[in-house]
Amino acid sequence: MSLHSRTNRRRALVQRGFTLLELLVVMLIIGLLAGYVAPQYFKQVGKSEVKTARAQIEALGKALDQYRLDTGHYPSTEQGLAALNAKPANETKWDGPYLKKAVPADPWGTTYQYKRPGEHGDYDLWSFGKDGQAGGADEAADINSWE
């Protein structure tokens, strides 16, 4: 094989491939796009979790209202939301279950808080949000039935 044919073959390979600089530029562009898109995506996920929690609280509130219509009162704090699925002892007018499935956990995997009588109404129903603690802001804010 002559020196001339090796040089031509090497040129052909280089012309078909990418240079290191071109690969670095493409990787930089992909990194910039990912750096912009990922936070926007995760912000939307956080918003959807808050919307889900609000919808679940509203659905639980409707089930609690149906329980009250049947029994004449809301479940006690001790009975909790479990009274929507299982008949409490000594509850003669219970006509449930009031939920098709078990009481769901909030979107962050913790149980909803329930108190009767409530400080803001007949009952208080809330989730502590993403951080699992009282208070907070944005995704970590409490989500409740009274606002």
Side-chain angles (χ1 to χ4, degrees), residues 126-143:
W126 73 97
S127 165
F128 287 125
K130 185 175 184 175
D131 65 354
Q133 299 176 12
D138 299 323
E139 293 173 37
D142 297 349
I143 301 148

Side-chain angles (χ1 to χ4, degrees), residues 39-78:
Q40 299 301 319
Y41 172 76
F42 288 115
K43 186 188 297 184
Q44 293 304 317
V45 170
K47 286 181 183 177
S48 68
E49 288 172 334
V50 170
K51 287 180 183 177
T52 299
R54 289 188 197 285
Q56 287 177 333
I57 285 174
E58 186 175 329
L60 290 170
K62 288 179 182 179
L64 287 165
D65 290 341
Q66 186 62 48
Y67 180 100
R68 184 184 58 83
L69 286 173
D70 289 346
T71 64
H73 56 84
Y74 290 106
S76 68
T77 301
E78 293 76 27

Side-chain angles (χ1 to χ4, degrees), residues 72-79 114-118 121-124:
H73 56 84
Y74 290 106
S76 68
T77 301
E78 293 76 27
Q79 292 169 327
Y114 173 77
K115 180 180 175 185
R116 182 188 153 256
D122 292 329
Y123 65 86
D124 290 350

Side-chain angles (χ1 to χ4, degrees), residues 4 7 10 15 17 19 26 35-36 42 55 58 64 67-68 76 80 83 88 100 103 127 136 140 143-144 147:
H4 184 66
T7 306
R10 196 174 291 151
Q15 288 175 351
T19 66
V26 169
Y36 175 74
F42 288 115
E58 186 175 329
L64 287 165
Y67 180 100
R68 184 184 58 83
S76 68
K100 292 181 181 179
V103 177
S127 165
I143 301 148
N144 52 55
E147 291 180 357

